[in-house]
Amino acid sequence: MSSKNAILSRLRHGRAASPANTAAFAAERASDAVTPDLDIMVSALEAAHARVFRSTTSQWADDLAKLARERGWANWWIGGDDVGRTWQAHDSEPATTVFSNWDSQKAPLFDAAEVALCRARAGIAETGTLVVESSPQVPRTLSLVPPVHVVVIDEDSVVGSLHQALARYENKSLPTNLIFISGPSKTADIQQTLAYGAHGPRELIVYLCRRE
Amino acid sequence: MSGFSPNPDQNFGVRIQEALGNEELRESFHGAMTFLREKRRQQFPDPDALDALRTRGAAIRERALAQLPDLLEQLEGQCQHNGIRVHWAEDAAEANEIITGIARKTGGKRVVKGKSMATEEIGLNTAFENAGFSCLESDMGEYIVQQAHETPSHIIMPAIHRNKASIARQFAEQIPDTPYTEDVDELIGIGRRVLRRAFADADIGISGVNFAIAETGTLCLVENEGNGRMSTTVPDTHIAVMGIEKVIEKLSDLPDLYRLLTRSATGQPITTYLNLISGPRKPDEIDGPRQVHLVLLDNGRSRIYADRQLRETLRCIRCGACMNHCPVYERLGGHAYGTVYPGPIGQVVMPQLLGLDKAGKLTQACSLNGACGEACPVKIPLPDLIRRLRHDGVSRTDSPVRGQGKQRKWIEATIWATWLSIHTHPRLYRLSTLMATRLRRLMPPLPRAWTRHRSPLRPAARTLHETLQQRERARQKESAREQ
């Protein structure tokens, strides 16, 4: 008998020998709907050490260009999403790499990239969470490897709770990698002292945009 | 098992004495446990809401366990549909064989690993070393512990027993071109630099799984650092290892369990990353692993499953809250247990995995104060299970746990049999209390093991019955005089 069959047959025998108490399941409730509160979203993100700027769908690129000059960021990475294209077309654009080939671009991504820019498909107000879907336009490592991660998100894509964010995927196939991001990478593994930039981005910068 | 004992009962007493005498360790654990308990408390300000959430969490886990064989088959089907290859392992040896086999086929040699208790359980690092691979732990705490050739002392915070000065010394000695610094940001920066190189160069990434969703064929990983995402995204091959009990039914089961996990474990409302993996890189995608494998590990779980009471052990979501609230764990730390899973959940899981003859003594390191059961986010009745295993350890029952009755000692059994007989026969009881009070001067002193930390005890001159009777007579006399 294969290991699979042996394990499954033991479980089925065990279940028949002592069936579960199904009364316990009644304690569950249906998923809760919460009205998204953008102020809560901003304060939750800031509490997690992210920087949040309120902007608009037509204004964020100008705002970001200003911040980029102030900070002197030179090595930008984008994917193929709308945010990347807008940034690329922006006239004050610094040197920007379009991330399109893993094998040839892995080394510079790890060694030289300073800032990555991408769109969050949705947000969760309650916990200050950004929902980033992997796709051919948004590679998985874009939101992970460069030390600064800039996220653009539309206000009207923000939902109240994780329940509601996951409900968007009911009866649909999930992206290969669905990532919920709530702040820069961090650790408290040394004497419970919080330090940012453990392995992922040290800084998370969010442009929360009102649609115009 | 890498550094963990297959027979933790051996020298348990010696390890306890050593732990209690180690001031640095006592201080580290006292500080960390107080900190974590307080952070958790702040996350659950409303006790009624907390209880309702724990009840829901328990129900979600119970519902999954009730359908466990079906959900595992559904998970396998959905994963395969998503392009994830699924393997089944009866025990640690088979799991290690499967994993090193996959690794060998890739042709690569360099392995990075995200934090995973299932891989600690099977001793995967040792198996990799023996097979000629280098396997680097990438969680900051695990990295520190591995570099020092130690084992984790807490399931969520592996290096909790270490202070920053000793980590600073270790980094300065072991990592080339590293000056001594006690600045935590700089120490983390040093780890980041070393591990980034390792991620970029790795051929194979290993991870655990916090929850696996049967409905969608999705692996959920919960973390703050990003090393889990690195390990599962950058190398060409990702191998995930999970205990078969980790499966949940639906995507909508995730939010409540996730909320309970992060708040119970570290008192965080949310972790930095919740990473849902539903397949390898698609042909048109730019990055991500080219192959994803899932190893389903039994290792005794299906045996536990057959017993209705012990099955509750399998609800565990590995948050560590039971450790953080255990007064014994706080004083001993994780290493004294000598097991992969320390603290209350370890005292329940390890005897079931290793047998009561090898790990039954662990259940004695408990005062049955009940704090673990009250903290458990999925309401596992840990004190009841500890008592059950103590019972199985000294009796012959039809329990599926191996080594039952092996903790039985004739002297203890005789003492309890006598005690039972005295306390169920009133005449015998009166006679024995009379003897104890009248002949109290003849009582031998208690063994030193008892009196070393406690005042010596002597029976009273009168029994409680006599004292109360005497008091009653005096009261009656008093009231008669007043009238």
Side-chain angles (χ1 to χ4, degrees), chain B residues 84-97:
Chain B
I84 298 173
R85 284 177 245 177
V86 180
H87 313 261
W88 301 69
E90 281 269 31
D91 52 22
E94 191 178 3
N96 286 331
E97 208 172 290

Side-chain angles (χ1 to χ4, degrees), chain B residues 70-84:
Chain B
D70 315 318
L71 291 184
L72 287 169
E73 280 191 303
Q74 189 188 5
L75 176 69
E76 180 184 41
Q78 284 301 320
C79 281
Q80 284 166 344
H81 175 78
N82 293 342
I84 298 173

Side-chain angles (χ1 to χ4, degrees), chain A residues 40-42 44-45 48 123-130 181-183 204, chain B residues 270:
Chain A
I40 291 180
M41 170 112 179
V42 173
L45 274 164
I124 302 168
E126 183 173 64
T127 48
T129 302
L130 308 162
I181 300 174
S182 307
L204 177 69
Chain B
I270 194 162

Side-chain angles (χ1 to χ4, degrees), chain A residues 3 10 28 141 177 185 200, chain B residues 63 90 94 192 225 287 302:
Chain A
S3 295
R10 270 199 304 279
E28 289 177 65
T141 47
N177 197 191
S185 151
Chain B
R63 171 158 50 72
E90 281 269 31
E94 191 178 3
R192 176 185 172 101
E225 293 189 1
D287 61 359
S302 59

Side-chain angles (χ1 to χ4, degrees), chain B residues 229-243:
Chain B
R229 286 186 66 197
M230 286 280 189
S231 305
T232 58
T233 308
V234 177
D236 262 352
T237 303
H238 167 210
I239 308 171
V241 188
M242 67 175 253

Side-chain angles (χ1 to χ4, degrees), chain B residues 33 37 320-333 337 343-345 347 365-367 369 371-372 375 386:
Chain B
M33 297 297 103
R37 283 197 300 267
C322 59
M323 291 160 213
N324 302 348
H325 289 76
C326 175
V328 177
Y329 177 89
E330 178 176 337
R331 283 157 183 83
L332 294 183
Y337 295 83
I345 190 65
Q347 289 169 287
C366 170
S367 64
N369 56 79
C372 53
I386 289 173

Side-chain angles (χ1 to χ4, degrees), chain B residues 57-266:
Chain B
I60 291 170
R61 292 294 298 129
E62 275 296 309
R63 171 158 50 72
L65 290 174
Q67 319 169 66
L68 185 56
D70 315 318
L71 291 184
L72 287 169
E73 280 191 303
Q74 189 188 5
L75 176 69
E76 180 184 41
Q78 284 301 320
C79 281
Q80 284 166 344
H81 175 78
N82 293 342
I84 298 173
R85 284 177 245 177
V86 180
H87 313 261
W88 301 69
E90 281 269 31
D91 52 22
E94 191 178 3
N96 286 331
E97 208 172 290
I98 291 167
I99 297 162
T100 50
I102 296 167
R104 218 173 268 128
K105 254 187 239 166
T106 66
K109 279 279 168 231
R110 290 158 300 190
V111 184
V112 284
K113 191 157 155 267
K115 187 170 165 31
S116 146
M117 292 313 296
T119 60
E120 296 282 358
E121 185 184 321
I122 60 175
L124 181 61
N125 288 358
T126 313
F128 264 128
E129 275 166 40
N130 295 342
F133 293 86
S134 73
C135 183
L136 189 67
E137 292 285 356
S138 64
D139 173 270
M140 284 295 178
E142 292 272 356
Y143 170 70
I144 292 163
V145 162
Q146 185 190 36
Q147 194 177 54
H149 305 287
E150 291 181 312
T151 53
S153 57
H154 188 280
I155 63 169
I156 300 291
M157 309 193 99
I160 205 160
H161 58 289
R162 300 283 302 275
N163 60 29
K164 58 186 174 189
S166 82
I167 295 166
R169 271 195 306 278
Q170 176 183 324
F171 277 10
E173 279 164 22
Q174 303 216 17
I175 305 171
D177 307 322
T178 305
Y180 180 93
T181 171
E182 284 185 23
D183 183 300
V184 172
D185 282 320
E186 283 179 34
L187 288 170
I188 293 297
I190 294 163
R192 176 185 172 101
R193 199 188 67 223
V194 174
L195 287 162
R196 284 218 141 200
R197 203 64 272 142
F199 289 127
D201 295 341
D203 307 299
I204 298 146
I206 306 285
S207 79
V209 175
N210 289 98
F211 307 103
I213 303 167
E215 176 189 47
T216 56
T218 302
L219 313 178
C220 311
L221 273 75
V222 176
E223 60 156 340
N224 284 313
E225 293 189 1
N227 67 306
R229 286 186 66 197
M230 286 280 189
S231 305
T232 58
T233 308
V234 177
D236 262 352
T237 303
H238 167 210
I239 308 171
V241 188
M242 67 175 253
I244 52 171
E245 84 284 13
K246 288 279 176 111
V247 66
I248 57 175
E249 187 183 349
K250 300 176 288 193
L251 195 56
S252 59
D253 288 337
L254 182 62
D256 282 336
L257 292 178
Y258 175 56
R259 176 187 293 242
L260 278 167
L261 174 61
T262 64
R263 291 173 196 224
S264 304
T266 49

